[in-house]
Amino acid sequence: MPPPPWSPSASPAPPVQRAAHPAEPSWAAVPTSSVAAAVWELDLVTGALHWSDGMHRIAGSDPTTTRPSMQWWTSLVVPADRARVRAWLLVVREGRRGSEEQFDLVGADGVQRRVHAWTEVELDAAGGATRLFGSAVDISAAAAVGHRDPLTDLGTRHAVVAHLAAEAAEARRQRVPGGAVLAVLDLDRFSVLDDALGRDTGDALLVATADRLRTAAPEGATVARLDGDSFAVVVGRDTARVALASGGHHRPAAGPDAAGLAERLLAALRRPTRLHGRTDHVTLTASVGLVTTDGTEADPEDVVRRAGLALRRAKRDGGDRVVHYAPGLGEAALHRVATETMLRSALDAERLRVLYQPVIDLRTGEVVGVEALARVIDPERGAISPALFVDVAEETGLVVRLDEWVLGRASTMAQQWSPPASGAPTTIALPDTPSHPGLPTVAVNMSSKTLQRPDLAGLVRGALQRSGSDPSRLLVEITEHSLLDQGDGARDTLDGLTDLGVSVGIDDFGTGWSALSYLSALDLAFMKVDRAFVSRLGVDSSASAVVQAVIDLAHAHHLTVIAEGIETEEQARMLIAMGCDHGQGYWFGRPTPEEELDDAIRAWHTRARAARFGSWALEPAAPAAPPARTAPKVPAAALGAPRALSLRP
């Protein structure tokens, strides 16, 4: 299938005769001037592209014979910049947010020009992109002088690469090791500030950042704006000869201090910034990727790439920090790319599987539900644990597709599955934990990115309707971090789910920074104690105290408590003594495919009976040597109805 007409990756088309357009844009009559500047607009529905005559001067084309074409325009971009320009346009369209870019092109007249282009997006009522529009300026004269950024008057990427190349050449000439330092900085959460305060204020912040970096950088450093809110500072080895006290001998000065440079730059940015026309102050933080050259780098662009890898690690580690490049970062980046490719392929081909882990009522030992856990199936390695792909799924946004797929399978499971009967007594009284006969629940995990979907409630409603499942049988688990990321929208998100009759709970409680009193202000039904605490029960007395406190606090706020990671009978019995409601872990059963789940539950029944756990403790002890005889068949009605995970009111 050919790409759509608006796609910059479509095959380039040669210039053709200009076609008559029934509706020319309002700026079509802008008078021609000698300035190589232009405006343009692209209809994303029809693919129609209009531009002013200034664009023909930039493209070196004849306005009487050339019809505007996005394919032809991108074909003029030099090969080194073409992929970046195409990606830029697609990111602007898909991200529905304006941006700017610089690139070189060779016009139809054979002249190479440096272009700075701006792009904005027009959205329809539903938030979809319908039109791209923007402007472009020929900055070849400025680029020849030093590649200046038009907003901040800093250098650009070209200046950074040129400085690194000059340092490498000088090091080779003097036959000394390299020693230049490249610091690449990216402002933390700048897009949030930009959206909240407006584009003009965002530009003012970028200008203020440029001034701070320019002042903080050592004399002789190159300070540049790479793109957006990313900046770079290059500091080279002082190659001036200095006299030694021993007389007449000279040596190069020591190379720059990378850590000291990064801290100096960050300290300058952390000072509160007061913007013109505003009474409040804005405080910025940044993430920094550092590279120290050693003279063996063959390509300055590779030095910039390495700094970018270090920067991305700093971002992933939480921001407002410095990461110095190490070879392992490159290997990790290649692994992440391979993992993303594998994950996309698995999603497209539905090479996925859902495993189900039983959830047990600790007082009775009965199975009251299961948790749905996603696995990706690799043709060579088999089932892959989420620990190996969940970070990449979150970073790339593929986790949203994964969550949606698991939700559909889990909803179907909730509609049609009930656990096999245990045969254990069912008359035990449960004074502290209300429970009732019913059908078991199926719990699904939802990521922070999925919770940000404005149509989340509609997504869950659709899955329930397609499967015919009762909403009360579906549980949604979210992490503390995911909930806190929602900010003020957390209540709306949870209300949309609970209005459907779906219960929502907190997974891995204790690993975040939220207080239980804060969480209880939301409409939550249950809370899961993280396995990191459960695993230390019986070994660390402080862990027992923490788990007991969490259980008591949760019950005081009317939350059902589920303990994760129970691997021994001792841990299970300790949790019963603490008053924990439910549990899951390897002692009860491992994550299992749906077709093997009933057998896994029967195996648990056998272990529970042998351990006299839960309701099986009420059974008479088996005689030491029972006579061999055929056990009478027990009517199914006498076994009792399957139990459901009980949620506190």
Side-chain angles (χ1 to χ4, degrees):
M1 179 180 296
W6 53 263
S7 172
S9 62
S11 300
V16 296
Q17 289 299 118
R18 179 190 295 271
H21 296 287
E24 290 290 333
S26 59
W27 42 259
V30 172
T32 300
S33 70
S34 59
V35 179
V39 288
W40 58 273
E41 67 176 23
L42 172 65
D43 189 319
L44 295 174
V45 178
T46 65
L49 174 67
H50 303 284
W51 62 35
S52 65
D53 286 343
M55 193 68 79
H56 289 287
R57 289 193 295 277
I58 294 175
S61 56
D62 184 353
T64 64
T65 61
T66 305
R67 185 182 69 187
S69 163
M70 205 63 167
Q71 295 88 346
W72 178 66
W73 167 257
T74 54
S75 74
L76 299 179
V77 179
V78 297
D81 292 345
R82 192 173 299 154
R84 176 166 52 86
V85 170
R86 287 173 173 169
W88 167 59
L89 292 170
L90 288 174
V91 167
V92 167
R93 176 182 179 272
E94 296 300 326
R96 300 185 294 280
R97 188 168 182 267
S99 182
E100 57 190 278
E101 186 62 273
Q102 287 188 12
F103 51 90
D104 291 326
L105 61 78
V106 178
D109 56 0
V111 177
Q112 181 162 334
R113 297 175 176 87
R114 183 69 178 170
V115 178
H116 192 105
W118 292 264
T119 301
E120 295 291 341
V121 188
E122 181 177 278
L123 307 178
D124 59 20
T130 60
R131 185 172 70 102
L132 298 183
F133 62 97
S135 58
V137 178
D138 180 357
I139 60 168
S140 301
V145 172
H147 299 293
R148 310 309 300 175
D149 173 56
L151 176 64
T152 64
D153 197 37
L154 292 178
T156 65
R157 185 186 186 95
H158 292 273
V160 172
V161 171
H163 192 150
L164 291 170
E167 288 291 335
E170 185 67 12
R172 288 192 297 270
R173 187 182 70 80
Q174 296 190 25
R175 298 182 180 180
V176 296
V181 170
L182 169 63
V184 175
L185 305 90
D186 191 87
L187 299 180
D188 297 326
R189 298 177 63 82
F190 175 77
S191 60
V192 176
L193 290 172
D194 197 29
D195 291 339
L197 302 178
R199 185 68 175 268
D200 290 344
T201 302
D203 285 350
L205 281 173
L206 294 176
V207 172
T209 298
D211 292 340
R212 295 277 181 89
L213 295 177
R214 189 185 287 112
T215 302
E219 184 177 356
T222 293
V223 183
R225 181 186 178 207
L226 299 181
D227 56 61
D229 59 328
S230 295
F231 297 84
V233 177
V234 183
V235 178
R237 176 186 293 274
D238 182 6
T239 55
R241 300 290 180 172
V242 295
L244 296 177
S246 55
H249 298 286
H250 300 79
R251 63 175 175 83
D257 174 17
L261 172 66
E263 187 53 45
R264 183 174 176 178
L265 298 174
L266 288 179
L269 294 182
R270 289 180 182 130
R271 295 198 306 269
T273 302
R274 183 171 181 177
L275 300 173
H276 178 70
R278 297 184 62 89
T279 58
D280 54 342
H281 291 75
V282 176
T283 301
L284 297 173
T285 62
S287 302
V288 182
L290 284 177
V291 172
T292 301
T293 63
D294 59 12
T296 63
E297 297 82 6
D299 184 2
E301 287 284 1
D302 190 54
V303 178
V304 178
R305 180 188 65 83
R306 294 179 184 183
L309 291 172
L311 172 65
R312 282 189 284 277
R313 170 58 63 86
K315 284 286 192 183
R316 286 199 300 270
D317 289 348
D320 193 19
R321 66 192 62 209
V322 179
V323 172
H324 210 135
Y325 173 80
L329 292 178
E331 298 170 4
L334 291 175
H335 175 72
R336 295 180 79 85
V337 170
T339 301
E340 178 184 353
T341 301
M342 179 273 296
L343 185 56
R344 288 187 185 277
S345 175
L347 285 167
D348 292 341
E350 291 200 357
R351 290 198 306 273
L352 306 168
R353 170 178 285 187
V354 178
L355 304 184
Y356 298 92
Q357 186 172 34
V359 178
I360 308 298
D361 185 319
L362 291 177
R363 293 182 179 274
T364 67
E366 299 283 356
V367 175
V368 293
V370 290
E371 180 182 0
L373 302 167
R375 297 291 186 269
V376 173
I377 308 301
D378 183 82
E380 297 180 357
R381 294 183 289 173
I384 298 177
S385 168
L388 300 179
F389 64 78
V390 70
D391 286 345
V392 176
E394 287 275 2
E395 183 178 320
T396 59
L398 292 174
V399 70
V400 176
R401 289 179 58 188
L402 185 63
D403 285 351
E404 185 173 355
W405 188 87
V406 173
L407 174 65
R409 298 305 187 277
S411 297
T412 300
M413 172 73 168
Q415 190 276 331
Q416 63 188 19
W417 178 77
S418 60
S422 66
T426 58
T427 57
I428 184 171
L430 303 175
D432 298 326
T433 305
S435 60
H436 56 83
L439 295 174
T441 57
V442 178
V444 296
N445 296 278
M446 285 196 177
S447 68
S448 177
K449 289 186 181 296
T450 301
L451 292 173
Q452 292 171 7
R453 291 182 57 155
D455 62 339
L456 177 60
L459 175 69
V460 175
R461 182 189 299 109
L464 292 171
Q465 290 176 343
R466 285 189 295 273
S467 65
S469 177
D470 185 335
S472 64
R473 297 191 65 182
L474 182 68
L475 306 182
V476 171
E477 298 182 6
I478 58 180
T479 66
E480 287 182 74
H481 295 292
S482 297
L483 185 61
L484 295 176
D485 285 345
Q486 304 304 305
D488 295 337
R491 181 175 294 278
D492 292 339
T493 299
L494 267 60
D495 287 348
L497 295 174
T498 55
D499 287 347
L500 296 175
V502 173
S503 295
V504 182
I506 298 297
D507 190 17
D508 299 336
F509 183 80
T511 60
W513 299 98
S514 56
L516 185 58
S517 58
Y518 165 72
L519 298 179
S520 65
L522 302 171
D523 192 4
L524 299 172
F526 62 95
M527 184 195 70
K528 303 185 80 169
V529 183
D530 186 68
R531 66 184 66 246
F533 301 107
V534 174
S535 64
R536 301 204 304 271
L537 291 178
V539 178
D540 183 352
S541 59
S542 63
S544 301
V546 170
V547 172
Q548 183 68 72
V550 170
I551 292 172
D552 292 344
L553 284 171
H555 285 169
H557 289 88
H558 310 292
L559 297 175
T560 294
V561 183
I562 306 171
E564 295 183 292
I566 302 173
E567 297 190 358
T568 66
E569 180 181 350
E570 180 187 10
Q571 292 170 349
R573 295 194 183 279
M574 289 182 69
L575 287 163
I576 292 173
M578 293 178 182
C580 187
D581 303 313
H582 305 301
Q584 66 183 100
Y586 284 0
W587 192 62
F588 304 117
R590 293 175 177 267
T592 306
E594 181 178 351
E595 60 273 16
E596 301 174 14
L597 181 58
D598 286 355
D599 288 342
I601 291 175
R602 292 188 184 96
W604 156 244
H605 293 162
T606 300
R607 292 196 305 277
R609 180 174 287 105
R612 298 180 61 78
F613 185 83
S615 297
W616 283 273
L618 301 180
E619 290 185 342
R629 59 193 179 98
T630 302
K633 184 176 181 180
V634 180
L639 298 179
R643 304 179 65 83
L645 188 151
S646 58
L647 300 177
R648 292 174 174 265

